[in-house]
Amino acid sequence: MSAIIIEKGRIVDPSCNRDEVGDLYIEDGKIVENPARGKKQAKSDPVRINAKGKIVVPGLIDMHVHLREPGQEEDETIETGTAAALAGGFTSIACCPNTKPPLDTQASVELVRQLALRADHCNVYPMCCISKDREGQELAELGILFEVGAIACSDDGSSVDDAELMRRAMEYCLMFDRPVLSHAESASLVKGGVMHEGAISTLLGLRGMPAAAEDVMVSRDITLAEITGAKLHIMHVSTEGSISAIRRAKDRGVRITAEVTPHHLFLTDECLRTFSSNYKMNPPLRSKEHVDACLQGLLDDTIDVIATDHAPHAPEKKLREIITAPFGIVGLETALPLMIENLIDTKMITWSRLIEKMSWNPAKILGIPKGTLKPGADADITIIDPDRSWTVNDHTLHSKSKNTPWFNKKMKGHSDLVLVGGKIKYSAE
């Protein structure tokens, strides 16, 4: 493999507090020191990449992605989903187990890994189910599933209502030093719900999903994590009550982390006035006080991670009336520009803190050797053009599905070049 030099870019690496204009050197798929400063001689005729005016960061990591395969290939495949990840600047993703069949057997986890290797796009880390068939009745064979490559466990898409089962899952994961990823939601409180329960749902005559459904389950899971000592990660946080509970738990030393999605940061339940199913998601878009609390939680580090909850659905499914349409939107390709427009350009957050929440922190939570540009690390690198303008449409989205509330929106900022293991896997040119 030839050497690569990424020249004159602004290198931002929160893993070592680096933020400077300079060059980055790659040899044999690894980050290396400047050959001119070390004993090792540079390889002849390196490939030179001009990154002047661009941001050079550790490859982005999304720890909450639905790839749909196996079983729902009409929505997304591992091939198309990982292509979308690369276009969005993500070099590693963790995929959820709510496939058909779900990822609760050795064979299903190995299938996802093999299909990801065949696609040869980004790194794919499968999650396994907490419970067999995601039914919340019997614990999945977690030890075996971790041994064959599952990175974490979750029943995402469904909550684990049985507190005893959730406690046992935490105890098993503690033995393997793996996190439990919780879809925190009381199923009985949201049954039949379409959107956030509040003034807008009442006005529209749509059945609501109360914030309390999330709050009570977050509090329960915090209690279980506290008594077991397990690593707990709360997925797609969306309520003021959850943020407050997580903040208090961190102050007590509970091993808890949390994520928020772009749509829960920048959209409210007012969007449902359009009755568009592209605003229907779970957790639902909340009212402004909850959105403000999520943003504050991100800024004060109560929330550790920005994740997309990329949830593709074929057009014919999302074209149903809002009551019967499925929950979820695609997000891999819009996450980065939304952060640039709403957080970086408004100076609410620095590049270093943004990359910490979109790369370094997810790597630490999942326990994977990614999210850094230190010498010796895999050369998973995203070069960002913060000024690139583009429009979200059928031609620019790589995902098989196009269910996004930002369709036809003009975006600012995009991945310019993406390397995985030192190989160029995506170029915007």
Side-chain angles (χ1 to χ4, degrees):
M1 183 182 295
S2 61
I4 298 174
I5 305 176
I6 300 174
E7 300 177 313
K8 302 176 183 178
R10 179 182 171 185
I11 302 170
V12 179
D13 182 6
S15 75
C16 55
N17 297 315
R18 184 179 184 185
D19 187 346
E20 62 183 4
V21 174
D23 299 340
L24 196 65
Y25 299 86
I26 303 164
E27 288 184 5
D28 298 326
K30 300 285 186 180
I31 307 292
V32 297
E33 294 275 10
N34 183 346
R37 296 179 182 176
K39 297 179 181 179
K40 189 175 180 180
Q41 296 297 313
K43 295 191 175 184
S44 59
D45 299 324
V47 175
R48 295 180 179 273
I49 297 172
N50 184 2
K52 186 176 182 180
K54 311 289 175 58
I55 314 293
V56 181
V57 303
L60 304 184
I61 300 171
D62 191 347
M63 60 182 295
H64 189 166
V65 174
H66 299 272
L67 290 178
R68 302 303 188 201
E69 191 175 14
Q72 296 167 299
E73 289 83 359
E74 70 276 13
D75 299 329
E76 192 79 282
T77 65
I78 291 173
E79 169 74 29
T80 60
T82 53
L86 284 177
F90 294 95
T91 58
S92 297
I93 59 175
C95 63
C96 293
N98 59 334
T99 50
K100 295 182 179 180
L103 305 186
D104 62 354
T105 65
Q106 290 174 279
S108 58
V109 171
E110 288 174 344
L111 174 64
V112 169
R113 295 184 66 198
Q114 288 301 314
L115 289 173
L117 288 172
R118 184 184 302 171
D120 195 25
H121 288 152
C122 65
N123 304 301
V124 176
Y125 297 92
M127 302 179 210
C128 65
C129 300
I130 292 174
S131 64
K132 290 184 177 180
D133 208 30
R134 291 178 55 252
E135 292 180 342
Q137 303 295 318
E138 184 179 357
L139 201 64
E141 296 178 340
L142 297 179
I144 293 174
L145 294 170
F146 292 149
E147 287 177 359
V148 297
I151 196 69
C153 67
S154 176
D155 272 2
D156 185 50
S158 301
S159 59
V160 178
D161 287 341
D162 188 327
E164 173 67 11
L165 183 69
M166 190 61 153
R167 177 181 179 175
R168 298 305 171 207
M170 290 186 183
E171 290 171 340
Y172 267 93
C173 287
L174 184 61
M175 291 190 290
F176 294 92
D177 195 32
R178 300 296 175 89
V180 177
L181 276 59
S182 172
H183 175 111
E185 175 186 66
S186 172
S188 59
L189 285 176
V190 301
K191 187 176 181 180
V194 174
M195 63 174 293
H196 172 65
E197 182 182 277
I200 305 301
S201 66
T202 301
L203 179 67
L204 299 179
L206 296 173
R207 187 178 178 92
M209 304 166 73
E214 181 176 311
D215 297 347
V216 296
M217 293 300 277
V218 167
S219 296
R220 185 206 71 174
D221 287 348
I222 287 172
T223 300
L224 295 178
E226 199 160 12
I227 64 174
T228 61
K231 293 179 180 179
L232 172 64
H233 179 78
I234 305 295
M235 308 173 87
H236 45 44
V237 172
S238 70
T239 71
E240 184 177 15
S242 294
I243 298 293
S244 297
I246 293 165
R247 188 178 289 122
R248 293 192 300 269
K250 286 191 170 189
D251 289 343
R252 298 197 305 273
V254 179
R255 301 173 74 192
I256 184 171
T257 54
E259 71 186 40
V260 69
T261 70
H263 44 276
H264 289 120
L265 287 174
F266 307 131
L267 299 175
T268 72
D269 59 346
E270 291 277 353
C271 297
L272 272 297
R273 289 177 180 270
T274 65
F275 286 90
S276 169
S277 63
N278 283 332
Y279 294 108
K280 182 183 180 183
M281 52 209 64
N282 189 19
L285 298 178
R286 303 289 184 185
S287 53
K288 189 175 185 302
E289 67 269 21
H290 294 291
V291 172
D292 290 344
C294 286
L295 182 57
Q296 182 56 45
L298 182 74
L299 298 179
D300 67 19
D301 293 331
T302 300
I303 294 176
D304 308 88
V305 170
I306 297 165
T308 69
D309 192 7
H310 177 81
H313 294 289
E316 62 270 19
K317 297 179 181 180
K318 275 293 193 176
L319 285 173
R320 300 173 191 162
E321 63 181 24
I322 195 165
I323 294 174
T324 59
F327 294 102
I329 61 171
V330 294
L332 283 166
E333 298 172 76
T334 54
L336 180 60
L338 287 169
M339 295 302 140
I340 292 172
E341 177 184 351
N342 293 282
L343 298 182
I344 295 292
D345 288 352
T346 59
K347 301 188 185 306
M348 296 185 70
I349 199 170
T350 64
W351 273 106
S352 184
R353 291 190 68 205
L354 178 64
I355 301 308
E356 181 179 40
K357 294 177 187 293
M358 295 187 74
S359 184
W360 180 232
N361 283 353
K364 290 189 293 182
I365 292 166
L366 294 173
I368 57 176
K370 303 290 183 180
T372 179
L373 298 178
K374 293 179 181 179
D378 293 337
D380 292 358
I381 301 165
T382 301
I383 301 176
I384 301 168
D385 183 347
D387 298 316
R388 185 183 185 91
S389 294
W390 64 288
T391 301
V392 182
N393 57 41
D394 285 332
H395 304 293
T396 56
L397 289 178
H398 293 70
S399 175
K400 192 171 185 178
S401 294
K402 315 299 177 184
N403 50 306
T404 171
W406 289 286
F407 201 80
N408 287 328
K409 175 180 169 58
K410 188 174 182 179
M411 294 279 187
K412 179 176 177 286
H414 199 280
S415 56
D416 187 64
L417 202 71
V418 180
L419 294 85
V420 181
K423 298 180 179 179
I424 296 174
K425 295 291 186 176
Y426 172 81
S427 174
E429 298 301 327

